[in-house]
Short mmCIF file of all heavy atoms in Angstrom, two decimals:
data_model
loop_
_atom_site.label_atom_id
_atom_site.label_comp_id
_atom_site.label_asym_id
_atom_site.label_seq_id
_atom_site.Cartn_x
_atom_site.Cartn_y
_atom_site.Cartn_z
N MET A 104 91.11 107.13 32.73
CA MET A 104 91.96 107.31 31.55
C MET A 104 92.55 105.98 31.09
O MET A 104 92.82 105.79 29.91
CB MET A 104 93.06 108.32 31.85
CG MET A 104 92.56 109.74 31.98
SD MET A 104 91.75 110.35 30.48
CE MET A 104 93.16 110.54 29.39
N THR A 105 92.76 105.05 32.01
CA THR A 105 93.23 103.72 31.62
C THR A 105 92.24 103.06 30.68
O THR A 105 92.61 102.35 29.74
CB THR A 105 93.42 102.84 32.87
OG1 THR A 105 94.36 103.48 33.74
CG2 THR A 105 93.95 101.47 32.51
N ARG A 106 90.95 103.34 30.90
CA ARG A 106 89.91 102.71 30.09
C ARG A 106 89.61 103.49 28.81
O ARG A 106 89.06 102.94 27.87
CB ARG A 106 88.63 102.59 30.91
CG ARG A 106 88.84 101.78 32.19
CD ARG A 106 87.73 101.98 33.20
NE ARG A 106 86.47 101.43 32.74
CZ ARG A 106 85.33 101.48 33.44
NH1 ARG A 106 85.34 102.07 34.62
NH2 ARG A 106 84.23 100.96 32.97
N GLN A 107 89.97 104.80 28.76
CA GLN A 107 89.54 105.62 27.64
C GLN A 107 90.66 106.20 26.79
O GLN A 107 90.43 106.60 25.67
CB GLN A 107 88.69 106.80 28.16
CG GLN A 107 87.44 106.38 28.90
CD GLN A 107 86.60 107.58 29.30
OE1 GLN A 107 86.61 108.60 28.64
NE2 GLN A 107 85.86 107.44 30.39
N ALA A 108 91.88 106.29 27.33
CA ALA A 108 92.96 106.99 26.62
C ALA A 108 93.37 106.24 25.37
O ALA A 108 93.36 105.01 25.32
CB ALA A 108 94.17 107.18 27.54
N ALA A 109 93.75 107.03 24.33
CA ALA A 109 94.19 106.44 23.08
C ALA A 109 95.67 106.10 23.09
O ALA A 109 96.16 105.44 22.18
CB ALA A 109 93.91 107.41 21.91
N VAL A 110 96.40 106.55 24.10
CA VAL A 110 97.83 106.23 24.22
C VAL A 110 97.99 105.16 25.29
O VAL A 110 97.15 104.99 26.16
CB VAL A 110 98.66 107.49 24.59
CG1 VAL A 110 98.58 108.51 23.49
CG2 VAL A 110 98.19 108.07 25.91
N ALA A 111 99.09 104.41 25.21
CA ALA A 111 99.36 103.37 26.19
C ALA A 111 99.54 104.01 27.56
O ALA A 111 100.40 104.87 27.74
CB ALA A 111 100.60 102.59 25.78
N ILE A 112 98.72 103.61 28.52
CA ILE A 112 98.69 104.30 29.80
C ILE A 112 100.01 104.18 30.54
O ILE A 112 100.42 105.08 31.26
CB ILE A 112 97.52 103.76 30.65
CG1 ILE A 112 97.22 104.70 31.81
CG2 ILE A 112 97.81 102.36 31.16
CD1 ILE A 112 96.71 106.03 31.41
N GLU A 113 100.71 103.04 30.36
CA GLU A 113 101.95 102.89 31.09
C GLU A 113 103.04 103.81 30.56
O GLU A 113 104.03 104.07 31.23
CB GLU A 113 102.42 101.43 31.05
CG GLU A 113 102.71 100.90 29.65
CD GLU A 113 101.47 100.31 28.98
OE1 GLU A 113 100.36 100.51 29.53
OE2 GLU A 113 101.60 99.68 27.92
N ASP A 114 102.88 104.29 29.31
CA ASP A 114 103.86 105.18 28.71
C ASP A 114 103.42 106.65 28.74
O ASP A 114 104.15 107.51 28.25
CB ASP A 114 104.13 104.77 27.26
CG ASP A 114 104.70 103.36 27.17
OD1 ASP A 114 105.41 102.97 28.11
OD2 ASP A 114 104.42 102.67 26.18
N ALA A 115 102.24 106.93 29.27
CA ALA A 115 101.68 108.28 29.20
C ALA A 115 101.88 109.02 30.51
O ALA A 115 101.93 108.44 31.58
CB ALA A 115 100.20 108.23 28.86
N VAL A 116 102.00 110.35 30.38
CA VAL A 116 102.00 111.24 31.54
C VAL A 116 100.61 111.87 31.61
O VAL A 116 100.13 112.46 30.64
CB VAL A 116 103.07 112.33 31.41
CG1 VAL A 116 103.00 113.29 32.60
CG2 VAL A 116 104.45 111.70 31.31
N ILE A 117 99.95 111.72 32.77
CA ILE A 117 98.57 112.16 32.92
C ILE A 117 98.50 113.26 33.98
O ILE A 117 99.10 113.14 35.04
CB ILE A 117 97.65 110.99 33.33
CG1 ILE A 117 97.65 109.92 32.23
CG2 ILE A 117 96.23 111.46 33.61
CD1 ILE A 117 96.87 108.68 32.61
N ASP A 118 97.77 114.32 33.65
CA ASP A 118 97.48 115.36 34.63
C ASP A 118 96.04 115.81 34.41
O ASP A 118 95.45 115.56 33.35
CB ASP A 118 98.45 116.54 34.51
CG ASP A 118 98.51 117.37 35.79
OD1 ASP A 118 97.90 116.96 36.79
OD2 ASP A 118 99.15 118.43 35.77
N TYR A 119 95.48 116.48 35.38
CA TYR A 119 94.07 116.86 35.30
C TYR A 119 93.84 118.17 36.04
O TYR A 119 94.64 118.60 36.87
CB TYR A 119 93.17 115.76 35.88
CG TYR A 119 93.37 115.53 37.36
CD1 TYR A 119 92.61 116.21 38.31
CD2 TYR A 119 94.34 114.63 37.82
CE1 TYR A 119 92.80 116.01 39.66
CE2 TYR A 119 94.53 114.42 39.18
CZ TYR A 119 93.76 115.11 40.09
OH TYR A 119 93.94 114.92 41.43
N VAL A 120 92.68 118.78 35.70
CA VAL A 120 92.26 120.02 36.36
C VAL A 120 90.80 119.86 36.75
O VAL A 120 89.95 119.69 35.86
CB VAL A 120 92.43 121.24 35.43
CG1 VAL A 120 91.90 122.49 36.12
CG2 VAL A 120 93.88 121.43 35.05
N PRO A 121 90.45 119.88 38.04
CA PRO A 121 89.04 119.88 38.44
C PRO A 121 88.38 121.18 37.99
O PRO A 121 88.93 122.26 38.17
CB PRO A 121 89.08 119.76 39.97
CG PRO A 121 90.48 119.29 40.29
CD PRO A 121 91.35 119.84 39.21
N LEU A 122 87.18 121.07 37.40
CA LEU A 122 86.47 122.24 36.92
C LEU A 122 85.36 122.63 37.90
O LEU A 122 84.88 121.82 38.68
CB LEU A 122 85.86 121.97 35.54
CG LEU A 122 86.85 121.54 34.46
CD1 LEU A 122 86.13 121.36 33.13
CD2 LEU A 122 87.97 122.55 34.30
N ALA A 123 84.96 123.87 37.80
CA ALA A 123 83.90 124.36 38.68
C ALA A 123 82.58 123.71 38.29
O ALA A 123 82.21 123.68 37.11
CB ALA A 123 83.79 125.89 38.57
N GLY A 124 81.88 123.15 39.27
CA GLY A 124 80.60 122.51 39.01
C GLY A 124 79.45 123.48 39.17
O GLY A 124 79.60 124.62 39.61
N VAL A 125 78.26 123.01 38.81
CA VAL A 125 77.04 123.80 38.95
C VAL A 125 76.40 123.46 40.28
O VAL A 125 76.39 122.31 40.70
CB VAL A 125 76.07 123.49 37.78
CG1 VAL A 125 74.78 124.30 37.95
CG2 VAL A 125 76.73 123.80 36.46
N ASP A 126 75.86 124.46 40.98
CA ASP A 126 75.22 124.23 42.27
C ASP A 126 74.14 123.16 42.15
O ASP A 126 73.31 123.20 41.24
CB ASP A 126 74.60 125.52 42.81
CG ASP A 126 75.68 126.54 43.17
OD1 ASP A 126 76.83 126.13 43.35
OD2 ASP A 126 75.35 127.74 43.26
N GLY A 127 74.16 122.20 43.07
CA GLY A 127 73.17 121.14 43.06
C GLY A 127 73.61 119.90 42.31
O GLY A 127 72.96 118.87 42.39
N GLN A 128 74.71 119.98 41.56
CA GLN A 128 75.18 118.81 40.83
C GLN A 128 75.89 117.84 41.78
O GLN A 128 76.60 118.25 42.69
CB GLN A 128 76.18 119.21 39.73
CG GLN A 128 75.51 119.68 38.46
CD GLN A 128 76.52 119.85 37.33
OE1 GLN A 128 77.73 119.87 37.57
NE2 GLN A 128 76.06 119.95 36.11
N THR A 129 75.66 116.55 41.54
CA THR A 129 76.35 115.53 42.34
C THR A 129 77.56 114.99 41.62
O THR A 129 78.36 114.29 42.21
CB THR A 129 75.39 114.37 42.65
OG1 THR A 129 74.91 113.80 41.42
CG2 THR A 129 74.21 114.85 43.48
N GLU A 130 77.69 115.28 40.33
CA GLU A 130 78.84 114.79 39.60
C GLU A 130 79.96 115.83 39.59
O GLU A 130 79.73 117.02 39.83
CB GLU A 130 78.46 114.41 38.16
CG GLU A 130 78.08 115.60 37.29
CD GLU A 130 77.77 115.19 35.86
OE1 GLU A 130 77.61 113.98 35.61
OE2 GLU A 130 77.69 116.08 35.01
N ARG A 131 81.16 115.36 39.33
CA ARG A 131 82.32 116.24 39.31
C ARG A 131 82.89 116.27 37.90
O ARG A 131 83.05 115.22 37.27
CB ARG A 131 83.37 115.74 40.29
CG ARG A 131 84.49 116.75 40.54
CD ARG A 131 85.22 116.40 41.81
NE ARG A 131 86.16 117.43 42.20
CZ ARG A 131 86.83 117.43 43.33
NH1 ARG A 131 86.64 116.45 44.21
NH2 ARG A 131 87.68 118.39 43.64
N LEU A 132 83.19 117.47 37.41
CA LEU A 132 83.77 117.63 36.09
C LEU A 132 85.28 117.77 36.23
O LEU A 132 85.76 118.58 37.02
CB LEU A 132 83.20 118.86 35.38
CG LEU A 132 81.70 118.83 35.06
CD1 LEU A 132 81.29 120.12 34.38
CD2 LEU A 132 81.36 117.64 34.18
N VAL A 133 86.01 116.97 35.45
CA VAL A 133 87.47 117.00 35.49
C VAL A 133 87.98 116.98 34.06
O VAL A 133 87.58 116.12 33.26
CB VAL A 133 88.04 115.79 36.26
CG1 VAL A 133 89.56 115.87 36.31
CG2 VAL A 133 87.48 115.74 37.68
N LEU A 134 88.84 117.93 33.71
CA LEU A 134 89.49 117.93 32.40
C LEU A 134 90.83 117.22 32.55
O LEU A 134 91.67 117.62 33.35
CB LEU A 134 89.71 119.37 31.91
CG LEU A 134 90.30 119.49 30.50
CD1 LEU A 134 89.29 118.99 29.46
CD2 LEU A 134 90.69 120.93 30.19
N VAL A 135 91.01 116.15 31.78
CA VAL A 135 92.19 115.29 31.92
C VAL A 135 92.98 115.32 30.61
O VAL A 135 92.41 115.28 29.52
CB VAL A 135 91.78 113.83 32.25
CG1 VAL A 135 93.02 113.01 32.59
CG2 VAL A 135 90.80 113.80 33.40
N GLY A 136 94.29 115.41 30.74
CA GLY A 136 95.17 115.36 29.58
C GLY A 136 96.18 114.24 29.72
O GLY A 136 96.68 113.97 30.82
N ALA A 137 96.47 113.56 28.60
CA ALA A 137 97.48 112.49 28.60
C ALA A 137 98.39 112.71 27.41
O ALA A 137 97.93 112.91 26.28
CB ALA A 137 96.81 111.11 28.52
N ILE A 138 99.70 112.69 27.66
CA ILE A 138 100.69 112.91 26.61
C ILE A 138 101.71 111.78 26.67
O ILE A 138 102.05 111.32 27.77
CB ILE A 138 101.39 114.29 26.79
CG1 ILE A 138 102.36 114.57 25.65
CG2 ILE A 138 102.08 114.39 28.14
CD1 ILE A 138 102.96 115.96 25.70
N PRO A 139 102.16 111.27 25.52
CA PRO A 139 103.19 110.22 25.57
C PRO A 139 104.41 110.70 26.36
O PRO A 139 104.87 111.83 26.22
CB PRO A 139 103.54 110.00 24.09
CG PRO A 139 102.30 110.42 23.35
CD PRO A 139 101.72 111.56 24.15
N GLY A 140 104.92 109.82 27.21
CA GLY A 140 106.05 110.20 28.05
C GLY A 140 107.27 110.62 27.26
O GLY A 140 108.05 111.47 27.71
N GLU A 141 107.41 110.07 26.06
CA GLU A 141 108.59 110.41 25.26
C GLU A 141 108.57 111.88 24.81
O GLU A 141 109.62 112.49 24.63
CB GLU A 141 108.66 109.50 24.04
CG GLU A 141 107.48 109.63 23.09
CD GLU A 141 107.56 108.66 21.93
OE1 GLU A 141 108.36 107.70 22.01
OE2 GLU A 141 106.83 108.88 20.95
#
Side-chain angles (χ1 to χ4, degrees):
M104 289 300 289
T105 302
R106 302 164 67 180
Q107 300 184 29
V110 296
I112 195 66
E113 62 272 10
D114 298 329
V116 177
I117 298 175
D118 201 7
Y119 65 91
V120 176
L122 303 183
V125 179
D126 292 341
Q128 277 189 346
T129 59
E130 68 178 13
R131 192 162 189 173
L132 296 180
V133 181
L134 185 67
V135 188
I138 184 174
E141 62 182 16

